[in-house]
């Protein structure tokens, strides 16, 4: 007799079903504690290869290895309980062939227990997307500005800013949807183009710098929290966490140097000890040494 566990976590088809039902909310996440917070409000969390730039200081996402994505993916899955967790496939892990892509994507899903992977590229990746989906791996597509191609496109440049570019990007969207992607990220494209694509395909469009016309929105968490020193035009800073962290560290350093920290409140006190020359006896030991009372009879 088989036992089926009831999963409360959202799955890829749940995200697809949100098409036209109201904006889908998503953020990137790279570690367990922030994933646990975002999980209360987001429909899916993306373990983006942007972690290479945000957390590890790389200039682009290109150097990020598969093992790093797996490590952070595990942490996010442990932190999130409800949101679908999607893990980026890093540069070089899927472009060679559909079979190589499957081998690496299967490893990501097995070792992280995530619910889907994300792949950059439109028409050139359509065959690979179909191959993965047919073999049980849900795929989120990513078109428009594709950061892993930054060395080819000449930097982090917005796409579709002239109507001559629209046809190619629209074809990318149509082909990844036809290949079986459950959603597609539209990055750094203009509002009219985003609106056309969202209307034309039957899977959700997730915008990052692609206007309110998309079915959902995603941002890099550190960008919207105000942790990143420089952010793209499309980012709104919803917090000033970077300033709060600096203020806290400055206060800590000042207290340490002035010996205002630590105080007795932050120090462990000594335990009470028995006077010298007397051994401490526990109540149970006292009871054990007492002689039991006996009944005496008269005469």
């Amino acid at each position: 007799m088989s036992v089926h566990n009831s999963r409360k976590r959202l799955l890829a088809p749940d995200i697809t079903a949100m098409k036209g039902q109201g904006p889908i909310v998503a953020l990137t996440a790279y570690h367990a504690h922030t994933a646990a917070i975002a999980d209360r409000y987001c429909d899916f969390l993306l373990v983006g290869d942007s972690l290479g730039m945000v957390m590890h200081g790389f200039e682009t996402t290109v150097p990020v290895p598969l093992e790093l994505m797996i490590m952070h993916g595990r942490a996010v899955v442990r932190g999130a309980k409800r949101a679908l967790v999607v893990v980026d496939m890093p540069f070089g892990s899927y472009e060679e062939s559909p079979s190589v892509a499957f081998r690496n994507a299967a490893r990501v899903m097995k070792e992280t227990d995530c619910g889907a992977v994300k792949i950059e590229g439109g028409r050139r990746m359509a065959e690979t997307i179909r191959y993965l989906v047919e073999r049980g791996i849900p795929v989120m597509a990513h078109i428009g500005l594709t950061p892993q191609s930054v060395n080819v496109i000449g930097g982090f440049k917005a796409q579709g800013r002239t109507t001559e570019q629209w046809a190619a990007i629209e074809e990318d969207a149509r082909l990844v949807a036809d290949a079986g992607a459950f959603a597609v990220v539209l990055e750094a494209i203009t509002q009219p183009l985003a609106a056309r694509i969202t209307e034309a395909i039957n899977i959700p469009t997730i915008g990052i710098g692609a206007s309110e016309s998309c079915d959902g929105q995603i941002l890099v968490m550190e960008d919207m929290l105000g942790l990143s020193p420089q952010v793209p035009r499309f980012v709104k800073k919803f917090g000033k966490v970077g300033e709060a962290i600096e203020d806290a560290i400055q206060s800590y350093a000042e207290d340490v140097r002035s010996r205002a920290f630590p105080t007795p409140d932050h120090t462990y006190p000594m335990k009470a000890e028995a006077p010298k020359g007397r051994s401490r006896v526990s109540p149970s030991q006292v009871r054990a040494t007492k002689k039991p009372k006996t009944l005496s009879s008269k005469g």
Side-chain angles (χ1 to χ4, degrees):
M1 179 178 177
S2 63
V3 177
H4 297 275
N5 293 326
S6 59
R7 292 188 63 167
K8 296 181 180 179
R9 192 186 297 276
L10 294 175
L11 301 176
D14 298 317
I15 301 299
T16 303
M18 293 180 185
K19 173 80 174 180
Q21 301 300 311
I24 298 166
V25 180
L27 282 170
T28 63
Y30 310 129
H31 25 67
H33 62 278
T34 51
I37 297 170
D39 185 57
R40 303 169 198 159
Y41 307 98
C42 294
D43 300 304
F44 76 85
L45 299 175
L46 172 66
V47 186
D49 59 359
S50 51
L51 63 84
M53 302 171 69
V54 172
M55 299 195 68
H56 296 275
F58 297 146
E59 291 186 4
T60 70
T61 62
V62 172
V64 176
L66 187 65
E67 289 73 19
L68 197 61
M69 297 305 305
I70 291 172
M71 181 183 72
H72 286 278
R74 287 173 179 163
V76 172
V77 169
R78 287 194 293 264
K81 304 303 178 186
R82 174 188 170 275
L84 170 71
V85 176
V86 183
V87 177
D88 254 338
M89 296 297 294
F91 178 73
S93 66
Y94 61 92
E95 295 90 342
E96 182 177 347
S97 68
S99 59
V100 169
F102 174 79
R103 184 183 311 120
N104 289 326
R107 180 185 171 193
V108 168
M109 294 196 68
K110 287 169 69 69
E111 295 187 24
T112 68
D113 198 28
C114 69
V117 300
K118 182 170 76 63
I119 287 178
E120 291 186 10
R123 75 200 74 184
R124 64 186 176 85
M125 284 294 114
E127 178 187 355
T128 296
I129 292 171
R130 188 182 306 278
Y131 189 92
L132 297 186
V133 173
E134 288 177 348
R135 286 158 179 78
I137 297 180
V139 178
M140 177 177 285
H142 183 154
I143 65 173
L145 169 59
T146 48
Q148 293 176 10
S149 303
V150 64
N151 291 317
V152 173
I153 62 179
F156 296 96
K157 297 180 179 180
Q159 304 295 301
R161 300 188 73 178
T162 64
T163 54
E164 288 77 12
Q165 297 176 332
W166 285 15
I169 300 173
E170 288 181 275
E171 184 182 16
D172 282 342
R174 180 181 60 80
L175 289 174
V176 298
D178 290 347
F182 71 91
V184 56
V185 172
L186 307 182
E187 180 166 358
I189 67 173
T190 57
Q191 185 276 330
L193 178 57
R196 284 171 62 97
I197 292 173
T198 301
E199 180 68 25
I201 62 177
N202 62 354
I203 60 174
T205 56
I206 310 298
I208 179 167
S211 84
E212 78 289 347
S213 296
C214 297
D215 294 300
Q217 299 293 328
I218 188 168
L219 285 176
V220 172
M221 186 182 295
E222 282 71 7
D223 289 351
M224 57 84 70
L225 288 178
L227 273 170
S228 303
Q230 293 183 328
V231 297
R233 170 191 176 94
F234 55 75
V235 173
K236 175 181 177 180
K237 292 186 178 181
F238 288 85
K240 298 181 179 180
V241 176
E243 294 179 21
I245 290 175
E246 183 169 359
D247 289 345
I249 293 174
Q250 181 181 0
S251 296
Y252 164 72
E254 290 172 353
D255 278 11
V256 170
R257 291 193 174 104
S258 67
R259 296 194 180 278
F261 173 84
T263 68
D265 290 340
H266 310 109
T267 307
Y268 294 103
M270 290 290 292
K271 290 184 177 181
E273 296 183 6
K276 290 183 177 180
R278 295 178 60 185
S279 60
R280 300 179 64 183
V281 181
S282 68
S284 60
Q285 289 174 316
V286 172
R287 288 194 297 268
T289 57
K290 286 184 178 180
K291 294 182 178 180
K293 293 182 179 180
T294 59
L295 296 175
S296 60
S297 59
K298 293 182 179 180

